[in-house]
């Protein structure tokens, strides 16, 4: 499974093609699905182009993207940093009437287990975002762990040897705990393509897009998300 991560918290100074508005996200979603992506992960933006979890902004974005790519699984970030930030953002999530297919929840965040329970109570799938061995240990003892949709192994270290070590530590902890949910592996920036190749080699899901990096495997800057997805598909054996 190849997930397209369209924007993250990136701004246009990172890449001019970063989609921000609901209409831009819808157009980009259509382009990446045509290029070979299977699913979409995005960060909702408000009218000011800043990240948002407000129910109105979520509903508008979901409606636009689903109209562009009907039936495609669509996931949203719930990052701690997104206004109103911290635990206060749970109130916005609680008020959602339009629901994504899944949300990504970072175990490093202090209220992550609460947000997992909240999402599951609303019938939303959960990608459990695990950045480290400590996150994996925290997730493994959560009573609702096995009710989640998948484990999202997110490796942020930029030195490849260190990053691969962190990834293997996470895998070992999950295996030891008997957590065999579907796994999606991805790196970022310098390691984005190395981890896509590792995901292919290990038959794991992966993700590619401007949230994680802007360079093609050749090192040149991609025109946008669709070009990154086409490059990822070209690496599939």
């Amino acid at each position: 499974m190849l997930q397209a991560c369209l924007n993250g918290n990136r701004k246009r100074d990172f890449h001019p093609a970063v989609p921000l508005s609901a209409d831009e996200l819808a157009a980009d979603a259509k382009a990446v699905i045509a290029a070979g992506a299977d699913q979409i992960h995005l960060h909702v933006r408000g009218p000011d182009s800043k990240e948002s979890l407000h129910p109105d902004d979520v509903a508008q974005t979901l409606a636009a993207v689903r109209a562009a790519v009907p039936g495609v699984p669509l996931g949203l970030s719930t990052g701690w940093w997104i206004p109103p930030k911290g635990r206060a953002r749970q109130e916005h999530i609680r008020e959602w009437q339009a629901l994504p297919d899944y949300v990504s929840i970072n175990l490093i965040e202090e209220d992550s287990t609460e947000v997992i329970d909240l999402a599951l109570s609303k019938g939303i799938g959960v990608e459990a975002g695990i950045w480290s061995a400590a996150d994996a240990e925290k997730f493994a003892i959560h009573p609702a762990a096995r009710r989640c949709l998948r484990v999202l192994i997110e490796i942020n270290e930029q030195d490849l040897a260190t990053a691969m070590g962190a990834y293997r530590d996470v895998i070992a902890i999950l295996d030891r705990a008997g957590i065999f949910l579907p796994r999606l592996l991805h790196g970022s920036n310098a390691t984005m393509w190395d981890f896509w190749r590792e995901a292919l080699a290990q038959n794991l899901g992966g993700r590619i897009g401007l949230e994680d990096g802007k360079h093609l495997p050749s090192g040149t800057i991609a025109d946008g998300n669709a070009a990154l997805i086409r490059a990822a598909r070209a690496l599939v054996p």
Side-chain angles (χ1 to χ4, degrees), residues 1 17 40 124 147 158 199 227 234:
M1 186 270 283
I40 302 293
I124 303 169
R147 294 172 54 204
Q158 293 298 286

Side-chain angles (χ1 to χ4, degrees), residues 136-190:
E137 297 281 9
K138 180 180 178 181
F139 180 64
I141 63 172
H142 185 54
R146 289 167 177 81
R147 294 172 54 204
C148 292
L149 175 67
R150 68 174 67 94
V151 174
L152 179 63
I153 304 171
E154 306 187 82
I155 303 301
N156 296 303
E157 288 84 355
Q158 293 298 286
D159 173 74
L160 184 57
T162 304
M164 283 292 180
Y167 150 65
R168 294 188 183 105
D169 288 346
V170 168
I171 290 291
I173 291 166
L174 295 175
D175 286 351
R176 189 163 60 245
I179 304 286
F180 295 110
L181 294 168
R183 297 168 181 178
L184 189 159
L185 170 67
H186 76 95
S188 66
N189 297 318

Side-chain angles (χ1 to χ4, degrees), residues 16-164:
V18 170
L20 302 176
S21 71
D23 288 344
E24 290 169 350
L25 286 162
D28 219 32
K30 188 172 184 177
V32 296
I33 293 301
D38 300 302
Q39 299 189 7
I40 302 293
H41 167 78
L42 61 85
H43 291 223
V44 171
R45 304 300 179 100
D48 58 1
S49 296
K50 294 181 179 179
E51 291 181 83
S52 173
L53 294 173
H54 191 281
D56 292 345
D57 297 330
V58 168
Q60 181 182 13
T61 299
L62 289 177
V65 176
R66 284 185 168 140
V69 288
V72 172
L74 174 58
L76 307 181
S77 174
T78 61
W80 173 270
W81 63 89
I82 302 175
K85 299 182 181 181
R87 279 189 164 82
R89 78 202 189 287
Q90 292 185 36
E91 290 307 311
H92 277 347
I93 297 170
R94 193 169 284 111
E95 293 169 2
W96 287 355
Q97 296 298 311
L99 302 179
D101 297 290
Y102 58 91
V103 290
S104 302
I105 300 170
N106 301 315
L107 267 293
I108 196 173
E109 295 164 357
E110 66 182 50
D111 68 340
S112 58
T113 56
E114 299 168 28
V115 182
I116 288 172
D117 292 342
L118 172 58
L120 291 174
S121 75
K122 293 178 71 69
I124 303 169
V126 170
E127 284 188 331
I130 294 179
W131 296 7
S132 66
D135 290 350
E137 297 281 9
K138 180 180 178 181
F139 180 64
I141 63 172
H142 185 54
R146 289 167 177 81
R147 294 172 54 204
C148 292
L149 175 67
R150 68 174 67 94
V151 174
L152 179 63
I153 304 171
E154 306 187 82
I155 303 301
N156 296 303
E157 288 84 355
Q158 293 298 286
D159 173 74
L160 184 57
T162 304
M164 283 292 180

